[in-house]
Amino acid sequence: MERKWWHDKVAYQIYPKSFFDSNGDGIGDIPGIIQKLDYLKDLGVDILWISPCYPSPFADQGYDISDYYDIHPAFGTLKDMDRLIEEARKREMYILLDLVVNHCSDEHEWFQKACADPNGKYGNFFYIENRKDDKLPCNWRSYFGGSVWEPLPGHPDKQYLHLFHKKQPDLNWENPEVREEVYKNINWWLDRGLRGFRIDAIINIKKKLPYKDYPADRPDGLSCVDHMLADAQGVGEFLGEMRDRGFASHEAFTVGEVFNEKDEELPDFIGDNGYFSTMFDFAPVVFGGSSKGWYDRKRITPDDYKRCCFHSQKRIGDIGFLSNIIENHDEPRGVSYYIPDGETSLHSKKMLAVMYFMLKGLPFIYQGQEIGMENMKFSSIDQIDDISTIDEYHVARNAGCTKEEALKCISLYSRDNARTPMQWDSSENAGFSSGKPWLNVNPNYNNINVKKQWNDPDSLLSFYKELIALRKNPLYRETIVYGDLIPYLEDRHNLMAYFRKGERTLLVAGNFQKKSQDIQLPQKCQKVLLNNYPNADITDRVLHLKDYQAVILEL
Ligand code: NOJ
């Protein structure tokens, strides 16, 4: 694997709407991000991925873009973005934006023009089909519920394809003019000083054509789009072209949102000269998923989590570099999800941090993760903003769940858990905004906030700073960034342990339960590099791990 400038970095995801509001309108903004750059620098992060901040009607919170060349006024202006890029550069930090090009907004001028003249140039920017009788071109179900087909506004005889929401019409990547537009936009941003992109829903750009039905997987007679995607061949041609025409000239850093890639495709995706620099490891995220819906999902256990991580590490080997996460804006809070119910504590939060952060790959921290923000307690579906959660609530109800059961299941998985405003301090609205926040603040902000943790050496925030500093410590950097990952005592219940072997040998071990457990060390411990307890109890090469204790040892 070729070495790259970004391998030893730490990345941080900002969901701009909920990060920091500088002007009191209840919506986070770019000047707010600039104000917090020193906080992020002090934390130790280098790469900042900012979720979409382009003009958008916000049907899917900005993942429905109506202008790829501007900034939504609620977030600021292009000048603000230029300033952010420049302020980040001064601090040796790098800005990534979200590249959302599987679809645009139905309010984008391309779609408006397609509606005005479906047979003209822009009609071919989308997938538009004639309506014959009542038969749809295929039975694919969109990710946010219902058919992927929607009548084309103003043309009752036509319909268009949307794999996500109906306000997110899919762009027709088979059309070279669409691809040219995408490359033009990528280069326009890179020319402005952007360092790269997180690339949204990118596997979806290749459809299996001609349209055909797949076996129905729910009583609605529809079939999840994933079945079609597994069958679609040739996405690599588009991705290779996008790399060469879009990213290559600026050596952009790219992280792909890639699901369901096959083993044999890994070198093409993230090997040397892959389509992307890296891609997220979603193995723990998708674990337990059900085609029936969230209500039927299997909850992940600590042993499942460990197996998912080790499996991903094994399959990637030395092919490339994965990006590791425990949460993002589409997922519940990691500490509420991966730690069994009732066991969330400062110790268990620190243990989870160690376990994922020390995996081989690029660690991403999602805003608020560093202070241990937790899932929200929703008491009614009316408190939910997210379209996907609302859809899943109805799926659960239609499958026979009571209101309480449906609310319980969506509360566990809702994307809104991660979208509540960042908790900066214990003042009103958690110091996020002087106005009314667009989404309710989690009421636990008095206990969980940045200000409270910043000067507390025992806080989760201080622990994250130590973890980041360890990754950058010249003595351990080589081992942590490039050392092999070798599982240890892999089958031991509720224990996650692995070696990182390079210039040095480190053992990372976490007791994923309240009950203590002992593990035999294969070699003498030279030094305890990090510990979420004041002491590491090692006698005769036996390490005694307490309730959710995690240690990083040098052997
Ligand atoms: C993945 C994004 O992370 C998610 O938030 C969005 O809803 C879909 N892609 C569609 O863009």
Side-chain angles (χ1 to χ4, degrees):
M1 180 176 56
E2 249 176 57
R3 296 200 167 194
K4 297 282 166 55
W5 65 268
W6 50 270
H7 280 161
D8 62 352
K9 304 288 182 258
V10 175
Y12 187 97
Q13 180 189 354
I14 291 177
Y15 194 68
K17 208 169 177 187
S18 303
F19 189 61
F20 185 58
D21 173 18
S22 72
N23 62 0
D25 64 359
I27 296 180
D29 45 46
I30 296 170
I33 300 176
I34 297 173
Q35 284 187 41
K36 296 295 181 185
L37 275 181
D38 287 331
Y39 162 75
L40 297 167
K41 182 71 190 172
D42 289 346
L43 177 60
V45 300
D46 313 280
I47 297 176
L48 302 179
W49 152 30
I50 301 170
S51 280
C53 44
Y54 313 94
S56 161
F58 284 133
D60 185 20
Q61 290 306 349
Y63 282 89
D64 46 323
I65 297 172
S66 54
D67 183 352
Y68 289 97
Y69 293 90
D70 208 348
I71 298 295
H72 193 296
F75 293 133
T77 61
L78 262 180
K79 269 206 172 128
D80 292 328
M81 179 53 79
D82 289 342
R83 199 156 61 83
L84 172 61
I85 293 172
E86 177 54 18
E87 288 298 322
R89 195 195 57 75
K90 282 190 206 156
R91 293 168 176 79
E92 291 181 71
M93 294 165 93
Y94 311 91
I95 304 291
L96 313 179
L97 291 185
D98 227 298
L99 184 69
V100 187
V101 287
N102 170 69
H103 45 266
C104 60
S105 161
D106 64 342
E107 296 183 27
H108 193 288
E109 69 165 343
W110 295 336
F111 192 72
Q112 303 284 314
K113 286 181 177 167
C115 293
D117 179 10
N119 299 317
K121 165 175 162 139
Y122 291 99
N124 196 28
F125 267 45
F126 300 91
Y127 296 96
I128 297 176
E129 291 290 309
N130 291 326
R131 297 181 81 182
K132 296 178 211 116
D133 318 319
D134 266 349
K135 176 97 183 80
L136 298 171
C138 59
N139 70 339
W140 309 345
R141 182 188 310 103
S142 85
Y143 288 112
F144 298 144
S147 165
V148 294
W149 294 102
E150 183 69 16
L152 187 70
H155 300 271
D157 58 328
K158 296 197 186 299
Q159 54 202 328
Y160 69 93
L161 179 90
H162 60 91
L163 299 192
F164 292 88
H165 193 259
K166 64 181 179 192
K167 283 185 69 66
Q168 295 169 298
D170 279 53
L171 287 164
N172 175 10
W173 273 69
E174 305 294 335
N175 176 356
E177 287 180 290
V178 167
R179 306 204 297 272
E180 282 309 316
E181 289 288 353
V182 171
Y183 309 147
K184 192 173 99 189
N185 182 250
I186 290 174
N187 281 293
W188 187 85
W189 278 108
L190 294 174
D191 287 343
R192 285 189 104 86
L194 197 74
R195 200 61 189 89
F197 298 94
R198 174 267 188 181
I199 304 169
D200 185 72
I202 199 62
I203 296 310
N204 298 66
I205 61 175
K206 187 75 191 182
K207 278 69 175 171
K208 173 77 181 167
L209 299 174
Y211 302 111
K212 64 168 188 175
D213 286 355
Y214 287 85
D217 53 18
R218 288 187 195 172
D220 60 8
L222 302 176
S223 175
C224 171
V225 164
D226 289 347
H227 300 128
M228 172 283 285
L229 292 175
D231 204 14
Q233 302 290 320
V235 71
E237 279 161 43
F238 294 156
L239 299 180
E241 187 181 87
M242 177 162 63
R243 170 198 56 207
D244 298 341
R245 301 281 316 284
F247 310 135
S249 61
H250 293 76
E251 290 184 57
F253 168 82
T254 54
V255 47
E257 190 200 27
V258 178
F259 289 98
N260 302 332
E261 73 290 345
K262 303 176 186 72
D263 284 354
E264 61 276 17
E265 292 171 342
L266 287 172
D268 292 338
F269 275 80
I270 56 166
D272 294 340
N273 197 34
Y275 307 135
F276 309 118
S277 312
T278 171
M279 62 191 196
F280 291 110
D281 178 19
F282 287 125
V285 172
V286 298
F287 179 88
S290 162
S291 60
K292 291 187 190 164
W294 289 355
Y295 75 91
D296 190 49
R297 223 178 135 164
K298 180 173 174 291
R299 179 81 186 263
I300 195 165
T301 66
D303 288 345
D304 297 326
Y305 176 73
K306 166 176 69 180
R307 272 186 227 113
C308 287
C309 294
F310 288 170
H311 177 72
S312 300
Q313 293 280 328
K314 232 174 263 170
R315 78 194 273 263
I316 202 77
D318 200 37
I319 293 173
F321 228 65
L322 284 172
S323 286
N324 299 312
I325 56 167
I326 54 168
E327 59 194 56
N328 67 23
H329 67 292
D330 289 333
E331 299 303 322
R333 289 289 179 176
V335 294
S336 303
Y337 188 60
Y338 294 110
I339 299 170
D341 289 345
E343 304 200 351
T344 313
S345 64
L346 184 57
H347 284 131
S348 59
K349 288 180 177 183
K350 288 180 179 176
M351 184 228 51
L352 184 63
V354 172
M355 288 303 122
Y356 102 97
F357 200 89
M358 290 296 289
L359 293 168
K360 191 169 179 179
L362 178 66
F364 272 73
I365 297 170
Y366 177 71
Q367 66 184 43
Q369 176 187 324
E370 73 274 28
I371 52 168
M373 280 179 65
E374 298 174 1
N375 273 2
M376 184 79 169
K377 289 196 175 53
F378 298 107
S379 52
S380 149
I381 185 66
D382 301 334
Q383 294 168 343
I384 299 283
D385 166 86
D386 169 40
I387 43 178
S388 141
T389 311
I390 294 169
D391 173 55
E392 290 287 352
Y393 177 81
H394 294 299
V395 169
R397 291 284 285 137
N398 291 338
C401 294
T402 63
K403 280 187 182 165
E404 291 69 33
E405 287 164 346
L407 192 66
K408 193 169 167 223
C409 103
I410 58 123
S411 295
L412 181 57
Y413 299 111
S414 176
R415 309 200 292 181
D416 279 353
N417 283 307
R419 298 178 180 186
T420 63
M422 177 74 180
Q423 296 167 199
W424 293 104
D425 57 40
S426 56
S427 67
E428 206 185 353
N429 302 325
F432 159 71
S433 171
S434 58
K436 184 174 163 27
W438 73 278
L439 193 65
N440 284 342
V441 173
N442 193 318
N444 66 14
Y445 69 86
N446 274 316
N447 284 329
I448 302 178
N449 65 61
V450 171
K451 191 167 176 207
K452 194 168 172 195
Q453 296 191 22
W454 188 254
N455 291 317
D456 173 2
D458 192 39
S459 68
L460 185 66
L461 182 55
S462 299
F463 195 74
Y464 264 99
K465 280 204 240 172
E466 286 178 56
L467 262 174
I468 296 172
L470 180 64
R471 182 178 172 85
K472 295 184 173 181
N473 180 331
L475 292 178
Y476 300 104
R477 179 189 156 278
E478 175 74 21
T479 307
I480 295 176
V481 176
Y482 295 110
D484 291 335
L485 184 142
I486 303 163
Y488 185 53
L489 302 175
E490 203 173 340
D491 296 325
R492 176 82 78 85
H493 178 52
N494 284 355
L495 175 81
M496 184 161 172
Y498 51 89
F499 298 105
R500 298 300 315 277
K501 286 195 179 179
E503 277 176 0
R504 294 163 187 264
T505 297
L506 309 184
L507 177 66
V508 183
N511 182 23
F512 226 129
Q513 60 181 13
K514 285 173 92 76
K515 205 170 142 231
S516 57
Q517 61 177 315
D518 291 345
I519 63 172
Q520 183 76 41
L521 298 181
Q523 275 164 259
K524 194 165 169 293
C525 168
Q526 308 289 341
K527 197 167 176 195
V528 180
L529 301 183
L530 202 68
N531 186 357
N532 62 349
Y533 273 77
N535 298 305
D537 178 354
I538 306 174
T539 323
D540 294 335
R541 285 204 358 222
V542 173
L543 168 66
H544 178 76
L545 289 171
K546 299 195 182 71
D547 170 355
Y548 281 97
Q549 185 166 16
V551 291
I552 305 175
L553 307 180
E554 181 174 5
L555 301 183

